[in-house]
Amino acid sequence: MMEDAIPLASSKTKVKCNFMQNITAVFWTADPNKSPDKDGYIGDRGSASSLSVLLHIVLILQNVQEKSPLPPGPTPWLFLGNLLQKDVIPLDKSYPKVRSVVGELSPCSQNYSLVHKYGPIFTIWMGLKPAVVLCGYEMVKNALVAHAEEFGGRPPLPILKRVMMGQGFIMQKDAKWRDLRKFTVSTLREFGMGKKTMSERVQEEVLCLVKDITAVIQGKTFDLQKSITNAVSNVMCSVVIGKRFDCQNQIIAGHLCIAEKLISLFQTYLGMVCCSFCVVNLKKTSCELTYNQEDIVMSVFGLFVAGSTTTSDALNFAIFVKARLPHIQAKVQEEINEAIGISCVPRMEDWARMPFTNAVVHEIHQYRKVNNENFACSTTCCTEFRGFAIPQDTVIIPHITSVHFDPLKWETPEEFNPAHFLDEKGQFKKKDAFMPFSAGKRACPGEALARMELFLFFSTLLQNFHFQLVGEATDMDLLSIYDSYRNKILKLPIQATKRLL
Ligand code: HEM
């Protein structure tokens, strides 16, 4: 009976069903210690039927995946989707080819790439939830800019929802998001964001950081991450609350700690699992159209959360770049000496006269790898895109790292190369494939402030200090040192010395 089942089946599904029966039979007869029952099967009926159910589910899921309107992608595991598949998640690790700064291929460079296998648009499964991943400049730009409305939603973010009680504009979509974002950004502008007064506040903060580092240098070590995070958060405090806080202040330290833990959890694998399996009640957030005081409070908290760790991470990475690439550090310092001198504090006006420093700051964004699986967008309606009918509320991950490593847009994407942003005369040139702040409707509203902070912190720190690697890190490549430091495998391997001005 079992043998002629397969040839008799005509459709693919039927073949699968009969194939299931064969598999089930094989498992039922697999245990040599059990004697055959009246149907001729050997074994424990209970476990065999569970196994059979399991295998049926696998095949049903496979079938569902084949018929899904979503782009194809790596086969998910039952319930977990692709979450435990190290060659899929996190995407920045599976995205190809990391070349060390000194030029040789690192061991992971031979990783197979999802893009090579499935093309620049594919689906991954975060547990039972599908997410469409967009890779490379053309694909990401086309979706976020040409289809801005359709890709401008935000999926439920369970961790943020819990902390922010579903309020504030990061969590919203549609009209409420638009109104709240407009209100928040215009109020911040009135408070000075993006204006000259803002750059003075940033300068004040950098000078405090310089003082702190100078004081600690005598003791030789300093907590780089903490000092930078405090400084960056204080910039936000001075914008939003109108005053800065001493880094010893317990209240602000408590708030920073919450924001930092929240973001750290958000970026980790554990955070991804939480977001994949938590069920979010959408009703309250999506149906209310007007905002209230709590929404405004949470929008401000959202600015802290979204603005502090992102900027301080970029600044931390910038210091690692300086220490790992002394020739770049020296060239920036030379430019600072010429354009600003040794006694004036760098200002935004200097930016235009410092093309190399400007290019290095841009390259820092370009070269850094970021995980944005947990801070994705979503479709606001059923969307026809690249031959797929993507249903409304599907999670969309515009893979920024893939844009910044797109070999069609960057001459040497795997090398830290400031020349990406310089023309043949050594002048700064913009690149359209530069999008660390994303693009379209959901693009980062803090871009102007973040750029200002990066330039002023970067140039003032290099005007005052010389950074160098110490210990085992001296033999490691840039991305490995930074990853090891962030994952607390390596203690801060950097020493700062005051420059003799
Ligand atoms: C180096 C620094 C920064 C980087 C790399 C960065 C990057 C990003 C990215 C990629 C997004 C996601 C856009 C999307 O969903 O497509 C975003 C959103 C956001 N960023 Fe930033 N950001 C930075 C600094 C800041 C700062 C300083 C602020 C606050 C002043 C800020 C506030 C926000 C907010 C509120 C959102 C959510 C926007 C929305 O949902 O409408 N960011 N950022």
Side-chain angles (χ1 to χ4, degrees):
M1 178 194 80
M2 288 296 168
E3 270 170 26
D4 53 28
I6 293 175
L8 283 178
S10 54
S11 79
K12 209 174 171 185
T13 325
K14 239 181 172 179
V15 169
K16 272 183 184 164
C17 289
N18 292 321
F19 172 67
M20 274 303 305
Q21 287 164 13
N22 282 326
I23 297 229
T24 311
V26 168
F27 276 98
W28 262 334
T29 50
D31 188 342
N33 300 321
K34 307 274 170 140
S35 51
D37 65 8
K38 65 179 167 48
D39 300 325
Y41 291 124
I42 310 167
D44 173 350
R45 271 223 180 248
S47 54
S49 48
S50 328
L51 194 63
S52 161
V53 169
L54 206 71
L55 287 168
H56 270 98
I57 295 174
V58 172
L59 287 182
I60 289 166
L61 282 181
Q62 239 175 32
N63 211 27
V64 167
Q65 206 199 1
E66 276 165 24
K67 292 195 175 138
S68 154
L70 299 175
T75 307
W77 291 347
L78 207 60
F79 303 116
L80 290 168
N82 304 108
L83 276 177
L84 283 186
Q85 298 172 4
K86 290 231 169 348
D87 52 351
V88 177
I89 292 172
L91 286 167
D92 73 339
K93 289 251 161 62
S94 63
Y95 195 75
K97 323 299 181 206
V98 181
R99 213 184 266 265
S100 76
V101 276
V102 260
E104 77 273 20
L105 286 169
S106 73
C108 55
S109 63
Q110 302 306 326
N111 277 358
Y112 98 111
S113 145
L114 295 172
V115 178
H116 291 155
K117 196 159 178 198
Y118 301 104
I121 174 167
F122 56 87
T123 305
I124 58 169
W125 289 75
M126 315 284 278
L128 296 173
K129 295 178 208 163
V132 174
V133 183
L134 309 174
C135 289
Y137 171 73
E138 288 303 334
M139 187 63 73
V140 171
K141 181 88 190 249
N142 190 238
L144 297 186
V145 178
H147 296 79
E149 282 301 322
E150 297 97 307
F151 288 103
R154 180 80 72 210
L157 305 167
I159 299 177
L160 280 190
K161 155 117 184 166
R162 195 149 274 256
V163 178
M164 295 182 168
M165 294 168 285
Q167 280 156 322
F169 73 88
I170 293 183
M171 296 288 299
Q172 312 295 335
K173 47 188 187 174
D174 307 323
K176 187 170 173 181
W177 164 78
R178 204 181 316 262
D179 286 357
L180 255 178
R181 177 164 160 142
K182 207 167 148 198
F183 172 81
T184 313
V185 173
S186 63
T187 311
L188 279 179
R189 279 214 193 98
E190 273 170 40
F191 284 6
M193 187 160 95
K195 294 187 187 156
K196 195 170 172 231
T197 49
M198 189 73 234
S199 83
E200 282 158 15
R201 288 176 211 200
V202 179
Q203 276 173 333
E204 185 188 354
E205 216 45 62
V206 192
L207 292 179
C208 289
L209 182 63
V210 168
K211 242 197 229 162
D212 284 355
I213 299 179
T214 311
V216 186
I217 277 178
Q218 274 90 46
K220 291 284 187 261
T221 54
F222 66 107
D223 189 338
L224 177 73
Q225 197 150 8
K226 200 167 160 210
S227 310
I228 288 184
T229 309
N230 282 347
V232 167
S233 308
N234 251 333
V235 173
M236 280 310 296
C237 283
S238 70
V239 178
V240 176
I241 311 172
K243 67 172 196 169
R244 69 178 301 274
F245 290 86
D246 193 273
C247 56
Q248 309 302 331
N249 185 301
Q250 290 304 310
I251 301 172
I252 201 73
H255 282 113
L256 283 182
C257 195
I258 296 173
E260 215 180 307
K261 285 202 172 121
L262 179 64
I263 286 285
S264 313
L265 174 65
F266 210 57
Q267 288 172 336
T268 59
Y269 181 74
L270 182 66
M272 258 179 236
V273 175
C274 290
C275 286
S276 303
F277 290 107
C278 290
V279 179
V280 177
N281 171 18
L282 271 174
K283 262 189 198 151
K284 192 168 177 261
T285 51
S286 58
C287 295
E288 288 170 7
L289 286 177
T290 51
Y291 54 88
N292 54 29
Q293 204 175 346
E294 280 85 48
D295 275 312
I296 295 173
V297 172
M298 282 307 162
S299 292
V300 172
F301 179 65
L303 292 175
F304 272 95
V305 172
S308 307
T309 317
T310 42
T311 313
S312 61
D313 267 359
L315 274 166
N316 262 309
F317 186 65
I319 293 184
F320 278 76
V321 170
K322 296 169 204 174
R324 180 67 186 86
L325 304 171
H327 58 291
I328 290 190
Q329 176 167 218
K331 211 166 166 192
V332 172
Q333 283 167 336
E334 207 177 291
E335 195 174 62
I336 292 173
N337 289 352
E338 278 167 23
I340 308 172
I342 49 171
S343 52
C344 298
V345 180
R347 299 161 307 151
M348 280 317 283
E349 292 84 327
D350 301 321
W351 174 284
R353 285 179 291 119
M354 298 170 69
F356 187 74
T357 309
N358 197 356
V360 173
V361 171
H362 278 72
E363 184 66 7
I364 283 165
H365 281 302
Q366 198 276 136
Y367 194 70
R368 221 160 61 93
K369 292 190 160 202
V370 283
N371 293 335
N372 61 334
E373 284 94 318
N374 255 1
F375 197 48
C377 308
S378 64
T379 42
T380 52
C381 54
C382 182
T383 305
E384 277 289 324
F385 186 70
R386 305 282 170 129
F388 301 102
I390 305 175
Q392 181 175 353
D393 292 327
T394 303
V395 176
I396 305 292
I397 304 176
H399 191 12
I400 307 269
T401 299
S402 75
V403 178
H404 289 167
F405 281 73
D406 187 337
L408 298 175
K409 301 304 287 185
W410 305 92
E411 299 81 41
T412 54
E414 295 149 9
E415 279 166 33
F416 188 93
N417 180 8
H420 285 144
F421 294 93
L422 294 170
D423 65 15
E424 50 298 336
K425 290 187 187 143
Q427 290 307 306
F428 180 79
K429 72 167 183 218
K430 283 188 179 169
K431 295 279 276 193
D432 50 4
F434 176 74
M435 47 169 82
F437 302 97
S438 194
K441 265 179 72 175
R442 287 279 177 174
C444 176
E447 176 173 349
L449 175 59
R451 279 169 176 263
M452 182 185 278
E453 288 184 280
L454 274 166
F455 175 72
L456 293 177
F457 273 85
F458 187 78
S459 48
T460 313
L461 288 180
L462 274 194
Q463 188 189 40
N464 286 275
F465 303 105
H466 182 79
F467 295 93
Q468 70 188 72
L469 285 179
V470 286
E472 53 185 305
T474 41
D475 297 327
M476 292 164 71
D477 69 80
L478 179 56
L479 292 176
S480 314
I481 307 171
Y482 191 61
D483 271 356
S484 310
Y485 170 67
R486 290 201 57 191
N487 296 325
K488 302 196 186 329
I489 299 166
L490 207 65
K491 272 192 170 172
L492 180 69
I494 289 178
Q495 207 167 53
T497 35
K498 190 93 178 127
R499 280 184 74 202
L500 298 170
L501 303 175

